[in-house]
Amino acid sequence: GSRGIGAACARALVRDGLDVAITCVGRRAAAEAVCDELRALGGRAWVLQFDVRDAAAAAAAIEGLLAQTDVHVVVNNAGVVADAPFPGLSRDAWHGVLDTTLDGFFHVTQPLVMPMVRRRWGRIVNVASISGLHGNRGQVNYAAAKGGLVAATKALALELASRNITVNAVAPGLIETEMIAGA
């Protein structure tokens, strides 16, 4: 939530009257600046700094947040790119992208689902990509991660629908953000 699509989502949620917790792995100052902006708009905002790939760090951060507030809406926006033609794709590039997208989705969403089930209300929005639907040259890892996120979204939506919890994915194409600068 410290930049790009995540920061735009945070601003929209605060304008709609929600409090927002922004997660970041680095760039804490940027996340704090967005939180300051959200507070100026009248919302409560927190920064949670952890790597979504790290199960223990995610659990600790979410436990701390839940001690302060309930979470009704989750936007899974963590993503990285490490583009390369498949024959030259490194193991680290493969796992870095998949682990951020898929493990991140699991580590952040799973501990928040049961409180939503108990409340019988929640919203989960996963930011996928058009690349996850159609593929893209040089992005086998990214397409696999985002395609997996779409499949997980569909399955979780079926699991949670009877509890008035929606699970949706949005699949943007290229958006002018820092992440695609120079693409």
Side-chain angles (χ1 to χ4, degrees):
S2 62
R3 59 191 172 128
I5 294 171
C9 289
R11 289 181 194 105
L13 290 168
V14 163
R15 285 187 195 106
D16 285 346
L18 285 95
D19 298 330
V20 174
I22 291 177
T23 63
C24 65
V25 68
R27 301 177 187 232
R28 176 139 192 146
E32 291 287 357
V34 172
C35 279
D36 289 344
E37 181 184 341
L38 300 178
R39 291 179 194 112
L41 292 170
R44 290 193 315 161
W46 297 265
V47 173
L48 305 177
Q49 186 171 1
F50 65 95
D51 187 336
V52 296
R53 298 173 299 175
D54 183 333
I62 291 167
E63 183 179 318
L65 178 65
L66 289 174
Q68 299 177 62
T69 188
D70 290 329
V71 175
H72 300 273
V73 177
V74 178
V75 178
N76 289 300
N77 184 53
V80 295
V81 292
D83 296 349
F86 189 71
L89 188 63
S90 72
R91 184 175 182 80
D92 287 345
W94 175 264
H95 283 287
V97 172
L98 267 77
D99 294 353
T100 298
T101 298
L102 295 176
D103 288 355
F105 157 76
F106 178 80
H107 294 154
V108 170
T109 306
Q110 200 265 348
L112 297 171
V113 166
M114 279 313 295
M116 289 180 183
V117 167
R118 285 190 287 277
R119 276 192 307 274
R120 298 189 65 78
W121 196 92
R123 300 294 180 254
I124 300 168
V125 180
N126 297 318
V127 179
S129 170
I130 198 74
S131 182
L133 301 175
H134 300 288
N136 196 19
R137 287 184 186 99
Q139 289 193 320
V140 172
N141 54 353
Y142 190 77
K146 295 300 187 173
L149 185 60
V150 169
T153 299
K154 291 176 181 181
L156 189 57
L158 293 172
E159 281 188 31
L160 299 177
S162 68
R163 304 290 186 170
N164 199 29
I165 301 167
T166 61
V167 186
N168 291 285
V170 294
L174 292 177
I175 307 292
E176 282 190 46
T177 64
E178 184 181 320
M179 185 173 172
I180 67 148

